[in-house]
Amino acid sequence: MKIEAADRVRALPPYLFAAIDRMKSEARQRGMDVIDFGIGDPDVPTPEPIIEALCRAARRPENHRYPAYPGKLECRRACAEFYARRFGVSLDPASEVLTLIGSKEGIAHLPLAMMNPGDLALVPDPAYPVYATTVRFVGGEVLRYRLRSADEFLPDLDAIPEEAARRAKLLYINYPNNPTGGVASLEDLQRIEAFAERHDLIVVSDLAYSEMFFEDPPPPSFLQVPGARARCIEFYSLSKTYNMTGWRVGFAVGEPTLCAALGKIKTNMDSGVFGAVQDAAIAAITGDQGSVEVMRRTYRERRDVLAAALRQLGLAVRPPKATFYFFAALPAGVKSMDFAARLLQEAGIVCTPGVGFGEGGEGFVRFALSVPIERIREAADRLTRFTI
Ligand code: MLT
């Protein structure tokens, strides 16, 4: 029988959030009122001016045809303007910016563009599962490196064996960090850049959460580090900044050869982002940024309510300075899967077991703040009747 999935599919565990979705719908079928702190998917609608820009752009016939593969130049220019305004980094929109069908798409295709079978990638542990999975898809090897929970979940670079660092091709980083909420300062990024330079590594920086911050200074881009742009491809997403997860639009920026290689893969795999979505992305990036400030206030308020509730439950929490993720440490010996399953069964509350992000996430659970404040209060109330 030839109807059998490829080995890489059979070896693949269910996608973390797909597995959680299944548990959620089972609980709902049992009649449970579920409060969902699982996936980080903003519950607030996309700001109205962006929706209006999309509606206008959808009526333009030129947007009904195949889009330009790397994205409209105006859209890439808007991204370059954002980098100049926010990070003081100047990018050539033609060679250093590529439009993506969401940053996940670009992250997932990058190994295809950069890795030969047997090449090694250094991937944080814990981390967004897509990094390691897609390296393995192309026959690449993965070495997970630990993030230190004692500080801002920064890389424990000294623990990476010298031989592995020398052999590796890619170093993945993600600050502000999913799932831990950790933030790297410019000095921290400088240390990472020095390590990457010493071992001639390509740095793959996931910057999806740069605008979701609650404290100054705002989180930096890896491209701000002197010398970094010669070895870095960075992924920026509109999903979290403008509540646009469903729209699928993001950017790859950085070293031109890396952008070109990814772009070449993409010309063979997809036909680019719908032109009207790109016009809406331009409106988002170049328009009034008031909604971004509202977004920060909303999550700050939610963060503080949830922090109080988790502390009352006896969890060690450090409210994140950025991102909408709480990475709460469980008491010693409590397994994150067991805790998450019990919390759902007994309190109807969904969180993500830390181990789903790698062994380094064991002993933690993640709560995403994509839940309205009244529901967080309801969760806080349920937690008073829950014992660990
Ligand atoms: C998460 O919950 O980790 C993210 O929202 C998932 C994603 O961005 O694909």
Side-chain angles (χ1 to χ4, degrees):
M1 186 66 167
K2 289 184 180 163
I3 301 181
E4 185 173 62
D7 294 347
R8 78 176 67 83
V9 175
R10 282 185 292 139
L12 198 61
Y15 186 60
L16 177 60
F17 297 106
I20 292 172
D21 271 355
R22 214 177 24 253
M23 280 162 56
K24 253 177 349 204
S25 38
E26 280 163 16
R28 284 192 177 121
Q29 270 160 23
R30 289 197 305 274
M32 201 143 217
D33 169 32
V34 172
I35 305 179
D36 187 1
F37 293 95
I39 193 162
D41 186 3
D43 54 304
V44 178
T46 306
E48 201 55 39
I50 303 174
I51 297 173
E52 278 163 15
L54 173 80
C55 294
R56 282 194 305 274
R59 295 203 178 86
R60 282 207 287 274
E62 68 268 27
N63 280 333
H64 302 169
R65 311 193 65 197
Y66 284 127
Y69 284 107
K72 298 184 187 197
L73 193 57
E74 308 90 275
C75 188
R76 292 145 80 201
R77 213 176 266 137
C79 177
E81 275 168 28
F82 164 72
Y83 262 76
R85 175 175 86 217
R86 170 69 168 82
F87 304 116
V89 169
S90 99
L91 295 169
D92 171 17
S95 64
E96 294 179 307
V97 183
L98 188 63
T99 309
L100 301 172
I101 311 173
S103 63
K104 181 181 186 180
E105 178 263 306
I107 290 168
H109 282 143
L110 185 76
L112 211 47
M114 296 313 303
M115 299 197 78
N116 292 316
D119 281 349
L120 179 66
L122 305 175
V123 174
D125 187 5
Y128 184 45
V130 177
Y131 311 146
T133 307
T134 55
V135 167
R136 294 196 180 104
F137 277 171
V138 301
E141 289 175 33
V142 173
L143 183 108
R144 304 295 299 262
Y145 68 85
R146 286 299 168 103
L147 302 183
R148 287 190 310 245
S149 58
D151 53 25
E152 284 286 325
F153 289 92
L154 295 170
D156 192 357
L157 296 174
D158 295 338
I160 299 176
E162 182 66 26
E163 201 279 316
R166 207 172 326 114
R167 186 162 84 76
K169 187 161 185 189
L170 304 186
L171 170 68
Y172 284 77
I173 61 166
N174 167 220
Y175 292 102
N177 184 262
N178 175 19
T180 68
V183 179
S185 67
L186 195 54
E187 295 70 42
D188 297 325
L189 296 184
Q190 273 160 353
R191 274 190 286 278
I192 297 171
E193 155 59 20
F195 178 85
E197 193 184 332
R198 200 159 60 247
H199 300 290
D200 191 22
L201 298 167
I202 296 165
V203 176
V204 183
S205 166
D206 179 357
L207 192 67
Y209 299 92
S210 64
E211 303 317 293
M212 206 180 248
F213 60 86
F214 315 112
E215 286 179 25
D216 281 329
S221 151
F222 191 71
L223 293 177
Q224 280 173 256
V225 178
R229 59 190 304 151
R231 62 177 64 259
C232 173
I233 186 161
E234 187 158 79
F235 291 93
Y236 178 67
S237 165
L238 272 66
S239 290
K240 310 290 157 71
T241 308
Y242 302 105
N243 309 327
M244 290 174 75
T245 46
W247 297 54
R248 309 318 301 140
V249 58
F251 298 94
V253 306
E255 203 283 323
T257 316
L258 299 172
C259 290
L262 179 57
K264 193 167 177 184
I265 290 291
K266 282 172 55 57
T267 54
N268 287 278
M269 311 275 294
D270 66 63
S271 302
V273 176
F274 177 31
V277 169
Q278 294 189 56
D279 289 343
I282 297 170
I285 299 171
T286 60
D288 184 85
Q289 298 297 297
S291 71
V292 182
E293 199 38 59
V294 172
M295 174 271 287
R296 289 187 196 115
R297 274 205 303 275
T298 304
Y299 291 127
R300 192 186 293 121
E301 189 186 8
R302 292 178 180 186
R303 178 192 73 163
D304 295 342
V305 173
L306 187 64
L310 294 179
R311 281 204 189 103
Q312 210 161 34
L313 182 65
L315 294 181
V317 292
R318 197 172 46 186
K321 293 182 195 152
T323 80
F324 55 177
Y325 299 122
F326 256 94
F327 208 50
L330 297 168
V334 178
K335 294 278 184 215
S336 60
M337 266 313 178
D338 297 343
F339 178 89
R342 264 195 64 220
L343 195 64
L344 178 57
Q345 273 154 25
E346 294 174 27
I349 294 174
V350 176
C351 65
T352 307
V355 74
F357 300 98
E359 276 307 315
E362 186 50 286
F364 292 85
V365 284
R366 192 193 78 171
F367 290 82
L369 292 167
S370 40
V371 176
I373 192 101
E374 320 78 66
R375 295 290 280 164
I376 299 181
R377 293 209 172 95
E378 161 68 20
D381 184 53
R382 291 185 197 179
L383 288 175
T384 58
R385 295 185 293 277
F386 183 81
T387 50
I388 297 180

